[in-house]
Structure formats: C-alpha cells, structure tokens
Amino acid sequence: MQEGSLAAGVPQWRRRVEVNGIAREAESLSFDAELSSDMPDAIGGVSGIKPRTGTIKWSPQAAVVDVPASPWSRRNGWPPSPGDRVDVWVGDTGTTWKVFTGRIDKTTGDVDTLSSSIVDDSDQLDRVITIEPVAYQMPGMMQSNGVYREYVPVYVRPWYAMYKCLRAGGWGVSTPSGAQGLTVVSVDMQGSFYPDLGTIGRSTDDLDLQYGDGFTYQAAGSISYEPREHAAYSTGDGVRVWLRWTGVQAVAYLRFSDDRALRFYLTHNPSGATSLWIQASSGGTVPNGGMLIAETTVNLQVDAADGSQWIELFIPAGGQTIRYTAPTVNTPSGTRNGAAESTITLGTTFNTGTTLSLVTFTGSLVAARVGNLTLTQWRGFSSHSVGSKVRHWGRSDLVRLQQIQRTLENVSASEVLDEASEATLTPMWLDETGTMQVAASDVLYAQRASHTVTTAQDIFSLGWEESLQATRRTVHVNYQAVAYNYMRQERVLLYQPSSAAQLDPNGVVYEEFIKPDDDQEWIWPDTTLADVNGHVDDFNHGYGSFYGASVDNSLGVNTWGRQLTPKIERLGLRTLKFSISTADTRTMELSTPDDEETLYKRRRGVTLPLIRGYGLVTLADASKDGTTTGPTWAPDLTHELDYWGREDDAQRVADWLSERLATPLITLTDLEIAYDPRIQLGDVILVDSTTFLGFSVEVLVIGKSESHGSDGSTLSLTVRVVRTMTTYATYEAFEAAYQGRHYSALESAWAGARYIDMERKPLEGGA
C-alpha cells in the first residue's frame, strides 16, 4: 500500500497526466492491473507477468484548434506517438500519489476525438537472453598442485535466472555497462555466488545469501575468485575495482603474483557517513599474518539509493595516487568517471610486471567488477547509472534452492520469467511507479491487513465466486530429480558415438553434431581435442577429450590412422560441431586401433571422438503429493515445479497448495469500494461485513480497475480470500468445533478473552 493519509472529509480528487514530462489535459482515464501466479494456472486462470493497461480520452489541448490533431499535423509532441512516456498522478487536497507509469501503446482519433491506449514497461522484458547451466556445486580454481579442481557450493536458486532476465529488461540494482579495458572478474551475488567472469575459489562454511530491497547479497562468510586472465601490468596500466554493497561493511582483497596485496575496507554508518580504508601489505592481509606496508583512509559522501552503495576505483601500476568516484546527489546518471573523480594517496605502489592472482570478498557484497585498463579508459566510461527498481519481498519458504539451473539459450526473458513465476508460485508485476514487484505466494499470503473496508461505509458492491475447479482432492507436484557425476579432472564421459563412423580418403570431410541428451546438462566440457596417437598415456587413464582414427596396414594389422585434420566448433551452449578429414588415400574408421599394444586392452577399438568434462547432470521426472486431501468428488491438481526446485521444495509446494485447495477457494469479484489511490496489487486488506453479511475476511488484492472522469473516481478490486473470521456460527458448527471436549475445555479456550473476540471468531477460542 502506498504511503500517506487521505485528507479528511469528502475527497476532491485531482489528476495530472504528463506525456514526455509535459502536462496534458485528459477528459477521462481508466487503468486495469492484474496479479497472477499466486496460484497455479489451473486455479487462478492466469500466469506470468500481466501488463498494466489503460485508456486515456484526451481533452482539446487548446481553446482554438485550427487543424485537428493527427500524425500529419503533429506539433510540439502532440498528438502522442507510440512509445511516448506517460505518467499519471491522483491526489486529494493534501497528498498526490502515482497511479500509472508506462508508455503510449497506440493513439486513435478523428476530427472530433482523440484517445490513447497505454501500457506499462513490461514489454521491455521481450529481450533474448542466454544463461549457461549452473549446478548447486561448480568446478572451482585449480588446487596448488595444478592438477585437481575443487568443487565449490554456489547455492543457486530461482532468483539467479529471474534476476538475469529482469536485468535484460533494465530492472535491478545498477551495474556499470560498457566498461573499457579488460574485465577479469565479474560477479553479481544475485541468487548464486557463481561468477559471470572468473573462476570461483574457496569459500567459508558460513557463506550465505540474504535478500535486500530488490537484490540478494553476501550476508556472511568469504569467497574468492581467480581472474579469467593474468595479464602483467605495465606503466600506465591499472586495476579497476567496482563494488556495490549494502549494510554496514564490505571488504575486497586483491592479491598479486609478487605476494603483495591491497585491501579495501568500506564501512557505512546509517547516519550517512561512509569511509574507505585501504591497506597495502605483503605476505597476505594484515589480519592474517601479512606485513603492513602502507595504509590510508578517506571519508566519502555517498548517496545510498535503494538500500545499497557503490564505489569505483582506479589503482595505477607503479603509482601512489588512487582515483575513485561514487554516487552523490549532485552527480547525474551518465556522468563519466573522469568528471567526478577524487584522489587519495596510498604511500606505496603495486609493482609493474605483476599479475592479479586472486580476489576475495567478505561483508555485505551485492556485486563486483575487477578489470585491467588505463587511466584514460577508466576516465572515459561511466559507472554513474541508474537501474529501474526491483522490490523483492524476501525469501520464500516454499522454493529455496535448485539442484541445477538449466541452459537457457536465445530465449525470451519474459517467457523465462513467466515459467519461473508459475513454477515457483512467485507473482511478478509492475506497480504504479514502475517498480518491479517480486513476491512469493507464501510471503504474500502471510501478510496481515494494512487497510479495512466495510459494507457500512466503503463497499458499494460485492460479488463472490466459489468454484469446483478451485477445490482439489490431491495435489501432485512434479519436479526434476537430479543425479550428479562429478570429478576433479576432465574425466567425466559426456559423449561417445555408439558405433564407429567411416572416414573417407583424400580430404573428404566427416561432420557430426554433438550435444547432451534432453535430460542432461554438461558441466565444463573439454573441447580441446587431443590426438589419441600422441597422448596415449592420458587416454589410457581416461583424462581429456580425444579424436583419432584406425586403418589396416599392408600386413592386415589395425593401426593408427594419420594425416588427420580435426575441427570442433561451439554452436551455442549445448551443441558442438565436430569435423575431421584425412589426406591419406585409405579409408579409415573413427576408433582406436584394435592391435595397438601401447593402449590398454579396454582402450582398444574405442569409438571416437570422445568428449569428457568435469561434470554430468542427469535429470529424471519425479513427483510429490500434498499431505492434505480434499473431497473425493474433487479433481486432482498437477503442478509443474520442473527443475526450479528440489525434492524438499516440491514437498513444501504440494503441502502448501493442498492445505489451501482442500476446501473451495473463494474469490470476491467486482468489489467496488470508495476510491483510494494508495491500494495496490499484492496488498492484504480487511473486508468487514460483520453486521450485514456475517463475516470478516482478509483478502489479497489480485486485480484492480480504476476510472476517472467527470463523475469522479471509482475503484473495483478482485481479491482472493486468505483468512476468514466468521461472525455467524450455527449450532452444528459450534458442536463440531468442540466435539468430544468437556466444558472445562471451552472455558479454557475463552479464558481472558473479550466479547469482541468471540464475536469475531466464535469457533477458534480466544488465544
């Protein structure tokens, strides 16, 4: 519910409409909004993100008009064009509230009238995205022996893919885009610790993600990342560090190949003061045995927007002057770093010729970027950008984690969000201010009423619907069970042909497409194919990916095929194209020789090519049933959680749904109430009709229609009943509630209660 209080007395509503920031006169307006996916599609009838739409009938914009408004006579931006920004406010004598943010969808008119249909910005989610597979654990950095990789939990959850989709449409905490130079570590702590660039390293056991206002952040523990490249720094080069954090503190620790380190310690006081403390050390960080070389501190004036702050730094190789920029109230979006930079002197340098070897983060980190660039490049781009806001309502107790985020390749972000929203019962919608709201159903339904309407004063009409289709005997939740096959080297077999293909002579090319089965995901496939003939030892020990061929020689001995030219291409994330040819004049077979003694016996006659990797994830259909059952005459409900949750999550979803659908789900329709611009989708309000209809219910607002015209303003709601406080009880209901209990139980149930308690919930007791 929007903040603020209504003015006393009979409201006199005022409205203001702006098109591209210019006030325009409107004769009438109407808006419609809908919240979906709080229940499965079979129950709610709709799913996914539903656009907020409306219609505006325009008034003449001038007292005298010489030419009717049309696309051919457009003057000063009138009539409005598709895509023009539209903002609408409604207020009383004291306060004004935003009631629509969006754009012109289309404008129609004739010589006498002009009207526009309007729509919110949800069309911006029609962006093509690609997301690589991320399992609950992923391969990390090489261990010190340079042979084995450690596996690191990355705690992937549905918010990981959801956030990437929202970012594609422009929503989310702002992160720099178009940064120059080379980015070597890029990580958004959004639904996972897995980086976009870099290799994840060791983490502490207490590593945890928590929800902020529209983002997740590293709430505890520490985690390290290895840069994707190790380029040596020359004079004029530098390290670029960008950090976004929330709460009180965040720490970034950069370690270089000469065993020197830089530590950036950021603290934020709720009163608004932010400080940056920089330490240079050798042999590790100062708290962990390192020797302090130099340190410095500076107080920053940072504008903490939407619950988080950021800072951008440039640390020159061989220089002592560190440059930084941070958001301030007076720095507009798009300002280049060089136009808003400040300096601080460290008193020492990090050496030229070194490379960055490790980056470690602790504290409440939201996102980070680390890169290599020159000062000119750093000054030339901007970290001062503002993203459209997201409000995440907090952690769901229904779907908590995923076993695997499956590959999403060249798909619509809006379609992915629709799928994830429906599967996890997480409604998403754009509110009146253009903020993307993301709220799991259990969080929505757990709210208590923030506003009360009564049939005596506020409600003009009220209808209800109680449907057979909203009652279910049993709830089945289908999900994808997962089997992992992990190894710390590239030893997991991902692909091998079932039979050996023939390779024709004289340069004829053999080609095939290689990809996982539909129920599989490959983790880090090795596409650097080696010739078996030159790497027999690795092949014998089952390490790596290989190609090769065999041919019968003049003595009839099956031996190595030679003069081979292989090629392998990645066609997206799930498909490889393998091709091979031979300059030999003999026909060959794509397999290892049957008679080659250097090969282990079990490695002879093996079909090729052979693709290995670090992991193979296989999925299988599974299902969980809810613990509560409904009437035998009711149909069953099957809900598809798919890969968006684990076995435990499927059980929780099944239990939550079955508890609510065992009895008919009641929806109040056409609830017309006194206009109140503060009421929003997702609000829980109390509908009180204790004296007229004998009930009082808490309801979730899932639909909203409002209109404004010469006759005033009206508001009609569609709401889902989430809790009922009946004030009318039959003798049979009272007897059933206390069946088999003594008078003392009744007396105990109402001990210390007031008369109003019994009036509101006669069957529940006074507790």
Side-chain angles (χ1 to χ4, degrees), residues 550-580:
S550 60
V551 65
D552 290 338
N553 63 19
S554 58
L555 301 176
V557 176
N558 193 242
T559 186
W560 298 109
R562 303 180 186 277
Q563 302 184 68
L564 302 174
T565 303
K567 183 180 180 182
I568 192 163
E569 304 172 72
R570 292 207 70 152
L571 305 178
L573 295 179
R574 284 181 63 86
T575 304
L576 302 174
K577 183 180 180 182
F578 171 73
S579 58
I580 190 169

PDB file of all heavy atoms in Angstrom, residues 550-580:
ATOM      1  N   SER A 550      41.632 -45.274 -37.089  1.00  0.00           N
ATOM      2  CA  SER A 550      42.399 -46.514 -37.248  1.00  0.00           C
ATOM      3  C   SER A 550      42.243 -47.014 -38.683  1.00  0.00           C
ATOM      4  O   SER A 550      41.251 -46.708 -39.360  1.00  0.00           O
ATOM      5  CB  SER A 550      41.923 -47.577 -36.257  1.00  0.00           C
ATOM      6  OG  SER A 550      40.552 -47.876 -36.462  1.00  0.00           O
ATOM      7  N   VAL A 551      43.253 -47.776 -39.132  1.00  0.00           N
ATOM      8  CA  VAL A 551      43.243 -48.284 -40.502  1.00  0.00           C
ATOM      9  C   VAL A 551      44.067 -49.571 -40.551  1.00  0.00           C
ATOM     10  O   VAL A 551      44.997 -49.758 -39.749  1.00  0.00           O
ATOM     11  CB  VAL A 551      43.827 -47.223 -41.471  1.00  0.00           C
ATOM     12  CG1 VAL A 551      45.300 -46.960 -41.185  1.00  0.00           C
ATOM     13  CG2 VAL A 551      43.611 -47.622 -42.927  1.00  0.00           C
ATOM     14  N   ASP A 552      43.727 -50.490 -41.437  1.00  0.00           N
ATOM     15  CA  ASP A 552      44.511 -51.716 -41.617  1.00  0.00           C
ATOM     16  C   ASP A 552      45.695 -51.421 -42.522  1.00  0.00           C
ATOM     17  O   ASP A 552      45.534 -50.838 -43.605  1.00  0.00           O
ATOM     18  CB  ASP A 552      43.666 -52.816 -42.249  1.00  0.00           C
ATOM     19  CG  ASP A 552      42.604 -53.348 -41.298  1.00  0.00           C
ATOM     20  OD1 ASP A 552      42.780 -53.181 -40.073  1.00  0.00           O
ATOM     21  OD2 ASP A 552      41.597 -53.904 -41.783  1.00  0.00           O
ATOM     22  N   ASN A 553      46.908 -51.812 -42.070  1.00  0.00           N
ATOM     23  CA  ASN A 553      48.081 -51.613 -42.916  1.00  0.00           C
ATOM     24  C   ASN A 553      48.222 -52.777 -43.894  1.00  0.00           C
ATOM     25  O   ASN A 553      47.356 -53.662 -43.958  1.00  0.00           O
ATOM     26  CB  ASN A 553      49.346 -51.420 -42.064  1.00  0.00           C
ATOM     27  CG  ASN A 553      49.677 -52.644 -41.218  1.00  0.00           C
ATOM     28  OD1 ASN A 553      49.200 -53.757 -41.490  1.00  0.00           O
ATOM     29  ND2 ASN A 553      50.505 -52.445 -40.201  1.00  0.00           N
ATOM     30  N   SER A 554      49.316 -52.777 -44.623  1.00  0.00           N
ATOM     31  CA  SER A 554      49.501 -53.781 -45.679  1.00  0.00           C
ATOM     32  C   SER A 554      49.639 -55.190 -45.125  1.00  0.00           C
ATOM     33  O   SER A 554      49.442 -56.175 -45.843  1.00  0.00           O
ATOM     34  CB  SER A 554      50.746 -53.428 -46.511  1.00  0.00           C
ATOM     35  OG  SER A 554      51.888 -53.364 -45.672  1.00  0.00           O
ATOM     36  N   LEU A 555      49.963 -55.308 -43.826  1.00  0.00           N
ATOM     37  CA  LEU A 555      50.103 -56.610 -43.198  1.00  0.00           C
ATOM     38  C   LEU A 555      48.807 -57.060 -42.531  1.00  0.00           C
ATOM     39  O   LEU A 555      48.762 -58.109 -41.891  1.00  0.00           O
ATOM     40  CB  LEU A 555      51.234 -56.584 -42.163  1.00  0.00           C
ATOM     41  CG  LEU A 555      52.615 -56.218 -42.702  1.00  0.00           C
ATOM     42  CD1 LEU A 555      53.619 -56.126 -41.566  1.00  0.00           C
ATOM     43  CD2 LEU A 555      53.060 -57.241 -43.747  1.00  0.00           C
ATOM     44  N   GLY A 556      47.764 -56.241 -42.681  1.00  0.00           N
ATOM     45  CA  GLY A 556      46.488 -56.588 -42.069  1.00  0.00           C
ATOM     46  C   GLY A 556      46.396 -56.247 -40.600  1.00  0.00           C
ATOM     47  O   GLY A 556      45.458 -56.670 -39.918  1.00  0.00           O
ATOM     48  N   VAL A 557      47.373 -55.477 -40.111  1.00  0.00           N
ATOM     49  CA  VAL A 557      47.360 -55.056 -38.704  1.00  0.00           C
ATOM     50  C   VAL A 557      46.585 -53.750 -38.592  1.00  0.00           C
ATOM     51  O   VAL A 557      46.832 -52.808 -39.346  1.00  0.00           O
ATOM     52  CB  VAL A 557      48.793 -54.883 -38.173  1.00  0.00           C
ATOM     53  CG1 VAL A 557      48.772 -54.355 -36.738  1.00  0.00           C
ATOM     54  CG2 VAL A 557      49.551 -56.198 -38.273  1.00  0.00           C
ATOM     55  N   ASN A 558      45.639 -53.710 -37.657  1.00  0.00           N
ATOM     56  CA  ASN A 558      44.850 -52.497 -37.432  1.00  0.00           C
ATOM     57  C   ASN A 558      45.681 -51.520 -36.595  1.00  0.00           C
ATOM     58  O   ASN A 558      45.965 -51.767 -35.423  1.00  0.00           O
ATOM     59  CB  ASN A 558      43.543 -52.837 -36.715  1.00  0.00           C
ATOM     60  CG  ASN A 558      42.561 -51.681 -36.732  1.00  0.00           C
ATOM     61  OD1 ASN A 558      42.181 -51.161 -35.703  1.00  0.00           O
ATOM     62  ND2 ASN A 558      42.144 -51.269 -37.924  1.00  0.00           N
ATOM     63  N   THR A 559      46.061 -50.385 -37.193  1.00  0.00           N
ATOM     64  CA  THR A 559      46.980 -49.455 -36.549  1.00  0.00           C
ATOM     65  C   THR A 559      46.456 -48.034 -36.670  1.00  0.00           C
ATOM     66  O   THR A 559      45.313 -47.799 -37.093  1.00  0.00           O
ATOM     67  CB  THR A 559      48.385 -49.585 -37.178  1.00  0.00           C
ATOM     68  OG1 THR A 559      49.295 -48.766 -36.431  1.00  0.00           O
ATOM     69  CG2 THR A 559      48.370 -49.165 -38.641  1.00  0.00           C
ATOM     70  N   TRP A 560      47.311 -47.059 -36.307  1.00  0.00           N
ATOM     71  CA  TRP A 560      46.886 -45.658 -36.256  1.00  0.00           C
ATOM     72  C   TRP A 560      46.596 -45.085 -37.645  1.00  0.00           C
ATOM     73  O   TRP A 560      47.352 -45.301 -38.589  1.00  0.00           O
ATOM     74  CB  TRP A 560      47.969 -44.778 -35.615  1.00  0.00           C
ATOM     75  CG  TRP A 560      48.307 -45.119 -34.190  1.00  0.00           C
ATOM     76  CD1 TRP A 560      49.454 -45.702 -33.739  1.00  0.00           C
ATOM     77  CD2 TRP A 560      47.486 -44.885 -33.055  1.00  0.00           C
ATOM     78  NE1 TRP A 560      49.423 -45.857 -32.383  1.00  0.00           N
ATOM     79  CE2 TRP A 560      48.211 -45.358 -31.926  1.00  0.00           C
ATOM     80  CE3 TRP A 560      46.225 -44.342 -32.866  1.00  0.00           C
ATOM     81  CZ2 TRP A 560      47.705 -45.296 -30.639  1.00  0.00           C
ATOM     82  CZ3 TRP A 560      45.734 -44.279 -31.581  1.00  0.00           C
ATOM     83  CH2 TRP A 560      46.450 -44.749 -30.483  1.00  0.00           C
ATOM     84  N   GLY A 561      45.534 -44.356 -37.753  1.00  0.00           N
ATOM     85  CA  GLY A 561      45.310 -43.540 -38.936  1.00  0.00           C
ATOM     86  C   GLY A 561      46.047 -42.220 -38.782  1.00  0.00           C
ATOM     87  O   GLY A 561      46.119 -41.658 -37.678  1.00  0.00           O
ATOM     88  N   ARG A 562      46.601 -41.697 -39.860  1.00  0.00           N
ATOM     89  CA  ARG A 562      47.427 -40.498 -39.774  1.00  0.00           C
ATOM     90  C   ARG A 562      46.952 -39.442 -40.773  1.00  0.00           C
ATOM     91  O   ARG A 562      45.992 -39.638 -41.492  1.00  0.00           O
ATOM     92  CB  ARG A 562      48.895 -40.860 -40.016  1.00  0.00           C
ATOM     93  CG  ARG A 562      49.418 -41.925 -39.049  1.00  0.00           C
ATOM     94  CD  ARG A 562      50.871 -42.274 -39.282  1.00  0.00           C
ATOM     95  NE  ARG A 562      51.313 -43.394 -38.457  1.00  0.00           N
ATOM     96  CZ  ARG A 562      51.705 -43.294 -37.196  1.00  0.00           C
ATOM     97  NH1 ARG A 562      51.735 -42.101 -36.615  1.00  0.00           N
ATOM     98  NH2 ARG A 562      52.070 -44.372 -36.526  1.00  0.00           N
ATOM     99  N   GLN A 563      47.676 -38.310 -40.749  1.00  0.00           N
ATOM    100  CA  GLN A 563      47.363 -37.166 -41.611  1.00  0.00           C
ATOM    101  C   GLN A 563      45.908 -36.696 -41.393  1.00  0.00           C
ATOM    102  O   GLN A 563      45.167 -36.444 -42.335  1.00  0.00           O
ATOM    103  CB  GLN A 563      47.583 -37.518 -43.094  1.00  0.00           C
ATOM    104  CG  GLN A 563      49.001 -37.972 -43.406  1.00  0.00           C
ATOM    105  CD  GLN A 563      49.193 -38.210 -44.885  1.00  0.00           C
ATOM    106  OE1 GLN A 563      49.162 -37.264 -45.692  1.00  0.00           O
ATOM    107  NE2 GLN A 563      49.373 -39.474 -45.271  1.00  0.00           N
ATOM    108  N   LEU A 564      45.539 -36.614 -40.111  1.00  0.00           N
ATOM    109  CA  LEU A 564      44.185 -36.225 -39.735  1.00  0.00           C
ATOM    110  C   LEU A 564      44.098 -34.715 -39.506  1.00  0.00           C
ATOM    111  O   LEU A 564      45.018 -34.098 -38.947  1.00  0.00           O
ATOM    112  CB  LEU A 564      43.755 -36.958 -38.459  1.00  0.00           C
ATOM    113  CG  LEU A 564      43.769 -38.491 -38.514  1.00  0.00           C
ATOM    114  CD1 LEU A 564      43.451 -39.062 -37.140  1.00  0.00           C
ATOM    115  CD2 LEU A 564      42.772 -38.998 -39.549  1.00  0.00           C
ATOM    116  N   THR A 565      43.002 -34.132 -39.928  1.00  0.00           N
ATOM    117  CA  THR A 565      42.741 -32.709 -39.683  1.00  0.00           C
ATOM    118  C   THR A 565      41.380 -32.580 -38.991  1.00  0.00           C
ATOM    119  O   THR A 565      40.336 -32.663 -39.646  1.00  0.00           O
ATOM    120  CB  THR A 565      42.729 -31.914 -40.996  1.00  0.00           C
ATOM    121  OG1 THR A 565      43.975 -32.098 -41.671  1.00  0.00           O
ATOM    122  CG2 THR A 565      42.496 -30.424 -40.719  1.00  0.00           C
ATOM    123  N   PRO A 566      41.397 -32.403 -37.653  1.00  0.00           N
ATOM    124  CA  PRO A 566      40.129 -32.299 -36.930  1.00  0.00           C
ATOM    125  C   PRO A 566      39.741 -30.830 -36.712  1.00  0.00           C
ATOM    126  O   PRO A 566      40.560 -29.922 -36.807  1.00  0.00           O
ATOM    127  CB  PRO A 566      40.439 -32.964 -35.598  1.00  0.00           C
ATOM    128  CG  PRO A 566      41.874 -32.559 -35.361  1.00  0.00           C
ATOM    129  CD  PRO A 566      42.536 -32.484 -36.725  1.00  0.00           C
ATOM    130  N   LYS A 567      38.471 -30.609 -36.398  1.00  0.00           N
ATOM    131  CA  LYS A 567      37.986 -29.282 -36.041  1.00  0.00           C
ATOM    132  C   LYS A 567      36.751 -29.440 -35.160  1.00  0.00           C
ATOM    133  O   LYS A 567      35.903 -30.285 -35.426  1.00  0.00           O
ATOM    134  CB  LYS A 567      37.625 -28.480 -37.298  1.00  0.00           C
ATOM    135  CG  LYS A 567      37.165 -27.048 -37.009  1.00  0.00           C
ATOM    136  CD  LYS A 567      36.833 -26.312 -38.306  1.00  0.00           C
ATOM    137  CE  LYS A 567      36.382 -24.891 -38.023  1.00  0.00           C
ATOM    138  NZ  LYS A 567      36.015 -24.171 -39.288  1.00  0.00           N
ATOM    139  N   ILE A 568      36.685 -28.624 -34.138  1.00  0.00           N
ATOM    140  CA  ILE A 568      35.493 -28.645 -33.294  1.00  0.00           C
ATOM    141  C   ILE A 568      35.062 -27.201 -33.035  1.00  0.00           C
ATOM    142  O   ILE A 568      35.883 -26.330 -32.747  1.00  0.00           O
ATOM    143  CB  ILE A 568      35.738 -29.411 -31.973  1.00  0.00           C
ATOM    144  CG1 ILE A 568      34.408 -29.658 -31.265  1.00  0.00           C
ATOM    145  CG2 ILE A 568      36.731 -28.706 -31.073  1.00  0.00           C
ATOM    146  CD1 ILE A 568      34.485 -30.744 -30.203  1.00  0.00           C
ATOM    147  N   GLU A 569      33.778 -26.939 -33.200  1.00  0.00           N
ATOM    148  CA  GLU A 569      33.215 -25.601 -33.012  1.00  0.00           C
ATOM    149  C   GLU A 569      32.101 -25.660 -31.979  1.00  0.00           C
ATOM    150  O   GLU A 569      31.330 -26.619 -31.948  1.00  0.00           O
ATOM    151  CB  GLU A 569      32.618 -25.068 -34.322  1.00  0.00           C
ATOM    152  CG  GLU A 569      33.549 -25.034 -35.492  1.00  0.00           C
ATOM    153  CD  GLU A 569      32.808 -24.672 -36.768  1.00  0.00           C
ATOM    154  OE1 GLU A 569      32.413 -23.494 -36.910  1.00  0.00           O
ATOM    155  OE2 GLU A 569      32.585 -25.580 -37.591  1.00  0.00           O
ATOM    156  N   ARG A 570      31.990 -24.606 -31.186  1.00  0.00           N
ATOM    157  CA  ARG A 570      30.869 -24.484 -30.260  1.00  0.00           C
ATOM    158  C   ARG A 570      29.768 -23.688 -30.942  1.00  0.00           C
ATOM    159  O   ARG A 570      29.965 -22.540 -31.334  1.00  0.00           O
ATOM    160  CB  ARG A 570      31.283 -23.793 -28.967  1.00  0.00           C
ATOM    161  CG  ARG A 570      32.232 -24.589 -28.118  1.00  0.00           C
ATOM    162  CD  ARG A 570      32.112 -24.239 -26.659  1.00  0.00           C
ATOM    163  NE  ARG A 570      30.850 -24.696 -26.085  1.00  0.00           N
ATOM    164  CZ  ARG A 570      30.684 -25.019 -24.804  1.00  0.00           C
ATOM    165  NH1 ARG A 570      31.696 -24.922 -23.955  1.00  0.00           N
ATOM    166  NH2 ARG A 570      29.516 -25.414 -24.346  1.00  0.00           N
ATOM    167  N   LEU A 571      28.618 -24.301 -31.102  1.00  0.00           N
ATOM    168  CA  LEU A 571      27.455 -23.629 -31.669  1.00  0.00           C
ATOM    169  C   LEU A 571      26.487 -23.347 -30.529  1.00  0.00           C
ATOM    170  O   LEU A 571      25.522 -24.070 -30.306  1.00  0.00           O
ATOM    171  CB  LEU A 571      26.801 -24.497 -32.745  1.00  0.00           C
ATOM    172  CG  LEU A 571      27.718 -24.964 -33.879  1.00  0.00           C
ATOM    173  CD1 LEU A 571      26.955 -25.860 -34.846  1.00  0.00           C
ATOM    174  CD2 LEU A 571      28.315 -23.770 -34.613  1.00  0.00           C
ATOM    175  N   GLY A 572      26.786 -22.314 -29.764  1.00  0.00           N
ATOM    176  CA  GLY A 572      25.987 -22.025 -28.586  1.00  0.00           C
ATOM    177  C   GLY A 572      26.466 -22.830 -27.393  1.00  0.00           C
ATOM    178  O   GLY A 572      27.602 -23.314 -27.339  1.00  0.00           O
ATOM    179  N   LEU A 573      25.593 -23.000 -26.409  1.00  0.00           N
ATOM    180  CA  LEU A 573      25.975 -23.631 -25.151  1.00  0.00           C
ATOM    181  C   LEU A 573      25.785 -25.141 -25.138  1.00  0.00           C
ATOM    182  O   LEU A 573      26.402 -25.836 -24.336  1.00  0.00           O
ATOM    183  CB  LEU A 573      25.160 -23.025 -23.993  1.00  0.00           C
ATOM    184  CG  LEU A 573      25.409 -21.546 -23.697  1.00  0.00           C
ATOM    185  CD1 LEU A 573      24.512 -21.087 -22.551  1.00  0.00           C
ATOM    186  CD2 LEU A 573      26.870 -21.303 -23.347  1.00  0.00           C
ATOM    187  N   ARG A 574      24.934 -25.670 -26.021  1.00  0.00           N
ATOM    188  CA  ARG A 574      24.612 -27.096 -25.935  1.00  0.00           C
ATOM    189  C   ARG A 574      25.018 -27.908 -27.162  1.00  0.00           C
ATOM    190  O   ARG A 574      24.800 -29.124 -27.184  1.00  0.00           O
ATOM    191  CB  ARG A 574      23.103 -27.284 -25.698  1.00  0.00           C
ATOM    192  CG  ARG A 574      22.668 -26.997 -24.280  1.00  0.00           C
ATOM    193  CD  ARG A 574      21.173 -27.233 -24.106  1.00  0.00           C
ATOM    194  NE  ARG A 574      20.767 -28.614 -24.321  1.00  0.00           N
ATOM    195  CZ  ARG A 574      20.789 -29.564 -23.384  1.00  0.00           C
ATOM    196  NH1 ARG A 574      21.232 -29.278 -22.165  1.00  0.00           N
ATOM    197  NH2 ARG A 574      20.376 -30.787 -23.657  1.00  0.00           N
ATOM    198  N   THR A 575      25.595 -27.283 -28.159  1.00  0.00           N
ATOM    199  CA  THR A 575      25.886 -28.012 -29.392  1.00  0.00           C
ATOM    200  C   THR A 575      27.334 -27.805 -29.812  1.00  0.00           C
ATOM    201  O   THR A 575      27.827 -26.668 -29.820  1.00  0.00           O
ATOM    202  CB  THR A 575      24.955 -27.569 -30.530  1.00  0.00           C
ATOM    203  OG1 THR A 575      23.596 -27.732 -30.125  1.00  0.00           O
ATOM    204  CG2 THR A 575      25.206 -28.391 -31.782  1.00  0.00           C
ATOM    205  N   LEU A 576      27.993 -28.896 -30.148  1.00  0.00           N
ATOM    206  CA  LEU A 576      29.327 -28.875 -30.738  1.00  0.00           C
ATOM    207  C   LEU A 576      29.229 -29.424 -32.153  1.00  0.00           C
ATOM    208  O   LEU A 576      28.458 -30.355 -32.421  1.00  0.00           O
ATOM    209  CB  LEU A 576      30.295 -29.748 -29.937  1.00  0.00           C
ATOM    210  CG  LEU A 576      30.482 -29.425 -28.454  1.00  0.00           C
ATOM    211  CD1 LEU A 576      31.359 -30.482 -27.785  1.00  0.00           C
ATOM    212  CD2 LEU A 576      31.103 -28.048 -28.273  1.00  0.00           C
ATOM    213  N   LYS A 577      30.008 -28.859 -33.052  1.00  0.00           N
ATOM    214  CA  LYS A 577      30.109 -29.397 -34.408  1.00  0.00           C
ATOM    215  C   LYS A 577      31.522 -29.954 -34.583  1.00  0.00           C
ATOM    216  O   LYS A 577      32.502 -29.221 -34.526  1.00  0.00           O
ATOM    217  CB  LYS A 577      29.828 -28.323 -35.452  1.00  0.00           C
ATOM    218  CG  LYS A 577      29.863 -28.871 -36.884  1.00  0.00           C
ATOM    219  CD  LYS A 577      29.587 -27.786 -37.910  1.00  0.00           C
ATOM    220  CE  LYS A 577      29.637 -28.350 -39.331  1.00  0.00           C
ATOM    221  NZ  LYS A 577      29.412 -27.304 -40.349  1.00  0.00           N
ATOM    222  N   PHE A 578      31.600 -31.259 -34.806  1.00  0.00           N
ATOM    223  CA  PHE A 578      32.880 -31.942 -34.983  1.00  0.00           C
ATOM    224  C   PHE A 578      33.052 -32.304 -36.448  1.00  0.00           C
ATOM    225  O   PHE A 578      32.137 -32.833 -37.088  1.00  0.00           O
ATOM    226  CB  PHE A 578      32.922 -33.209 -34.128  1.00  0.00           C
ATOM    227  CG  PHE A 578      34.109 -34.080 -34.395  1.00  0.00           C
ATOM    228  CD1 PHE A 578      35.373 -33.719 -33.963  1.00  0.00           C
ATOM    229  CD2 PHE A 578      33.975 -35.272 -35.103  1.00  0.00           C
ATOM    230  CE1 PHE A 578      36.474 -34.526 -34.212  1.00  0.00           C
ATOM    231  CE2 PHE A 578      35.066 -36.090 -35.364  1.00  0.00           C
ATOM    232  CZ  PHE A 578      36.323 -35.709 -34.914  1.00  0.00           C
ATOM    233  N   SER A 579      34.226 -31.990 -36.988  1.00  0.00           N
ATOM    234  CA  SER A 579      34.545 -32.380 -38.369  1.00  0.00           C
ATOM    235  C   SER A 579      35.975 -32.902 -38.413  1.00  0.00           C
ATOM    236  O   SER A 579      36.829 -32.488 -37.617  1.00  0.00           O
ATOM    237  CB  SER A 579      34.374 -31.196 -39.333  1.00  0.00           C
ATOM    238  OG  SER A 579      35.196 -30.116 -38.958  1.00  0.00           O
ATOM    239  N   ILE A 580      36.222 -33.822 -39.355  1.00  0.00           N
ATOM    240  CA  ILE A 580      37.553 -34.405 -39.482  1.00  0.00           C
ATOM    241  C   ILE A 580      37.736 -34.909 -40.908  1.00  0.00           C
ATOM    242  O   ILE A 580      36.760 -35.318 -41.577  1.00  0.00           O
ATOM    243  CB  ILE A 580      37.753 -35.559 -38.463  1.00  0.00           C
ATOM    244  CG1 ILE A 580      39.217 -35.997 -38.424  1.00  0.00           C
ATOM    245  CG2 ILE A 580      36.810 -36.720 -38.729  1.00  0.00           C
ATOM    246  CD1 ILE A 580      39.532 -36.940 -37.262  1.00  0.00           C
TER     247      ILE A 580
END
